[in-house]
Amino acid sequence: MKHGKLKSLAVAVLIAAVALPGPSVALSDEDKAKLVGALVGIAIAKKVAENRQEKKARGEPYQPANGVMCLPEVRKCYWNNRYSSRWTHHEFD
């Protein structure tokens, strides 16, 4: 999950660099709302990823994407109820 954390950090830095003005410029209420919304979205995405990792560690089936079901106990993933070597490799290798 290192890649996911790096991605979240990169998005947060990008948002901060674009959204945060210099010291002499104040944020408008609309800009503040956009920034808060983006940060909340990042926090939700991080929690979803952590939940998926916890299920994977406990051996419980989980869904990394719509239509995809992964079974850690047998280390296999299925896409639309058919075995998917792509998803299996992505999740377990």
Side-chain angles (χ1 to χ4, degrees), residues 26-92:
L27 287 174
S28 69
D29 288 341
E30 185 178 328
D31 289 339
K32 288 178 188 176
K34 287 178 185 177
L35 183 58
V36 168
L39 294 175
V40 168
I42 289 170
I44 290 171
K46 182 178 177 185
K47 189 63 180 171
V48 167
E50 287 173 358
N51 187 29
R52 184 173 37 223
Q53 288 298 333
E54 288 173 10
K55 282 186 170 187
K56 186 176 179 179
R58 290 191 306 259
E60 295 177 24
Y62 64 96
Q63 282 189 286
N66 283 339
V68 178
M69 179 61 70
C70 292
L71 309 171
E73 198 169 287
V74 293
R75 297 178 57 89
K76 291 184 180 179
C77 292
Y78 297 85
W79 179 61
N80 292 333
N81 297 322
R82 294 188 175 146
Y83 174 74
S84 171
S85 61
R86 179 180 163 266
W87 275 103
T88 298
H89 177 71
H90 180 269
E91 291 296 310
F92 299 112

